[in-house]
Amino acid sequence: MINADTPQAARKAVVTLASRTREPQHEAVIHEQLARKLAALQGLDFLGAFDPDVHYGRPLYFVPSGTLVGTDEARKLGLEDEHDLFGGVVPQAFVETKVITHPLVRPDADAPFGWSRDFVERVKGSVLPGYSVFTLADAREAGRRLLPEGPVRLKPVGATGGRGQERIDNEQALDQALERIDVTELERRGLVLEANLEHVTTFSVGQVRTAFRTLSYYGTQRLTSDNSGAMVYGGSDLFVVDGGFDALLAADLPERARLAVAQAQEYDAAASACFRGFFASRRNYDIAQGIDGRGRACSGVLEQSWRIGGASGAEIAALEVLMSGASGQIRASTVEVYGEHQQTPVGATVLFRGEDPEVGFITKYVTVEDHGNSE
C-alpha cells in the first residue's frame, strides 16, 4: 500500500471527470485518450475516471468534460488555479455560456445573479450586434430592435455545434419562433438574438496552458453533413505558436485572422477581469466573419469554450510536437466525419471510429501536417 507521505503519493495524478449532464459515448472515449496524453506529457500517472468515494492520497489534475461551475465546488476537488485542470472554472453557470456575450435590452432587464455589465461594455467592439434575454418580452423587444438592420439569428444557449439555431427574417417569424421557446428554460439559461451573417468564415482562436508550456493558435472551422443530413461542426485546422496571444500576433498572419485574434484576446482579457473566481487553462473562442443584412463586413466573437473541446485533439498533438523539441509554428487539424464509408489518411491519429448511440457512426481523427522553425 502506498503511504500518502511518499514522493510517489505526493505527485499529482490525472483523472477524467464527467461534469456535463449530456455525455455522448464517443466524446467520453476521446476525453480519456486525451487525458492519457496529458498525463504522459507531464510525467504523471493516469488513474481513469474520478471516483469521489476513493481516497487518492495525492493531489489530482482533472480533465473535466465541461466547464466546472462554482469556486467552492472546485476547491472541494482541490482546484485552486489553472495548473490543476485542463479546462476552466466559472463562478456561476451562465458565465460558461454564450449568453455573456451581449448586453441586456435595458439596464433593469431580468438577468442572473452575477451578471456583469462591465464585461459586455468591454467586449462591445469585439462582438456582433445582439442581445441576451431571459424573458419572452425582452426577446421580442430585442428582435424588433435588431430586425431593421437585417435578419437575426436566434440562438438557444444550451445548443452546441450550431444545432437549434434559427434565422429570423421578420417580426412574424420572430413571434412564431418565440411561441416554440420553453419559457422555463429561457428564464433559467437565457437566449441570444444576434445579427445574422452570410458567407461566414468561423475562426477558432485559443490558448492552452499546461505541462509548463503555453501555446496559442488561430484556425478555421469546417462543416460536415452528419448522419441525418444536417450540417454540423466537422473539425478545425489550427496554426499554432509557442507562447501567448502576443506571440501569435507577432507571426505573419492574414489580416482577417489577425482581427479574429485581437477580438478573442480582448474577450479573454475581459473575462479574466470581470468574473471573480474564473480561471482556465484551456481557452477557445469562436469568431464569425461575414456579411450582415445591409451588406457590411462584420467580425465578432460568438462564444467561448473553457473546457476540453472539438479542437483539443489538435491542441494536444501540437503540444506533443513542441515538447519533443520542435520550435516555431505547427499546423494541426481535427477532423470529424460521419458514416462507415469514410477513410482516414495515412499518418492520422484516430481518436474514435465507431457507432455512437446518439449520433450514429462517426470518425474523429487528428493530423499534424508540418512544423518548422519560425526564426
Side-chain angles (χ1 to χ4, degrees):
M1 181 176 179
I2 297 174
N3 186 291
D5 294 327
T6 65
Q8 183 178 3
R11 189 178 65 180
K12 278 185 178 180
V14 177
V15 294
T16 59
L17 176 65
S19 57
R20 291 188 294 168
T21 54
R22 174 180 166 271
E23 295 283 357
Q25 183 185 85
H26 71 278
E27 290 188 9
V29 172
I30 292 170
H31 292 170
E32 179 179 331
Q33 286 196 55
L34 297 182
R36 289 182 182 275
K37 290 177 180 289
L38 287 167
L41 287 168
Q42 298 176 85
L44 304 178
D45 297 325
F46 176 68
L47 301 183
F50 174 69
D51 185 342
D53 296 325
V54 170
H55 177 67
Y56 287 93
R58 62 170 106 177
L60 299 175
Y61 180 94
F62 284 84
V63 183
S65 58
T67 307
L68 298 181
V69 177
T71 51
D72 289 343
E73 288 74 12
R75 289 193 186 98
K76 290 176 184 177
L77 295 172
L79 302 175
E80 298 291 339
D81 58 35
E82 64 185 46
H83 302 294
D84 295 328
L85 82 167
F86 187 81
V89 172
V90 294
Q92 291 94 19
F94 78 90
V95 179
E96 70 164 318
T97 74
K98 62 176 69 74
V99 78
I100 67 170
T101 301
H102 296 295
L104 306 173
V105 293
R106 60 186 183 282
D108 63 344
D110 286 0
F113 174 78
W115 182 263
S116 176
R117 291 181 176 83
D118 185 29
F119 177 81
V120 295
E121 180 65 23
R122 287 178 183 237
V123 303
K124 66 181 182 181
S126 295
V127 302
L128 302 176
Y131 293 98
S132 293
V133 299
F134 295 87
T135 69
L136 284 175
D138 288 349
R140 289 190 181 92
E141 182 176 346
R144 283 164 169 74
R145 289 187 190 181
L146 293 168
L147 280 169
E149 297 298 314
V152 172
R153 184 157 293 272
L154 187 149
K155 302 165 70 171
V157 168
T160 60
R163 291 181 169 90
Q165 297 186 12
E166 187 172 350
R167 172 177 161 148
I168 305 297
D169 290 305
N170 51 54
E171 291 190 10
Q172 181 181 5
L174 174 66
D175 291 337
Q176 291 172 347
L178 293 180
E179 287 177 1
R180 298 189 290 271
I181 294 293
D182 183 325
V183 176
T184 301
E185 184 75 358
L186 170 62
E187 293 174 350
R188 186 173 72 90
R189 304 199 65 179
L191 181 72
V192 168
L193 293 92
E194 186 176 73
N196 181 78
L197 301 185
E198 299 292 343
H199 310 293
V200 175
T201 298
T202 302
F203 287 93
S204 293
V205 175
Q207 189 172 101
V208 169
R209 308 171 189 172
T210 191
F212 308 105
R213 300 292 286 262
T214 297
L215 59 83
S216 301
Y217 62 84
Y218 89 89
T220 53
Q221 298 181 8
R222 75 182 75 84
L223 296 176
T224 191
S225 177
D226 70 6
N227 289 308
S228 69
M231 298 305 293
V232 297
Y233 174 75
S236 299
D237 302 312
L238 308 184
F239 172 86
V240 187
V241 302
D242 196 359
F245 286 129
D246 289 341
L248 183 56
L249 287 169
D252 184 18
L253 304 181
E255 284 306 309
R256 293 179 67 192
R258 185 173 298 280
L259 173 59
V261 173
Q263 290 179 323
Q265 186 179 35
E266 183 171 81
Y267 194 104
D268 181 76
S272 294
C274 297
F275 295 111
R276 185 176 180 181
F278 161 69
F279 58 86
S281 63
R282 195 268 175 174
R283 300 160 181 247
N284 178 274
Y285 304 95
D286 289 346
I287 299 94
Q289 296 184 355
I291 306 300
D292 72 4
R294 294 202 168 189
R296 298 168 296 196
C298 294
S299 177
V301 178
L302 300 177
E303 60 185 318
Q304 75 287 6
S305 174
W306 297 318
R307 65 172 181 86
I308 194 168
S312 291
E315 296 164 357
I316 294 171
L319 186 62
E320 288 176 320
V321 172
L322 286 172
M323 295 190 69
S324 71
S327 62
Q329 302 165 351
I330 299 166
R331 297 184 184 277
S333 298
T334 57
V335 180
E336 303 186 9
V337 290
Y338 294 80
E340 297 183 46
H341 65 284
Q342 301 285 353
Q343 300 296 316
T344 56
V346 175
T349 300
V350 178
L351 299 177
F352 184 89
R353 179 174 173 82
E355 188 75 24
D356 180 274
E358 186 171 328
V359 301
F361 201 95
I362 183 172
T363 303
K364 294 190 177 186
Y365 62 89
V366 175
T367 62
V368 179
E369 297 176 3
D370 58 66
H371 60 86
N373 200 301
S374 60
E375 298 178 351

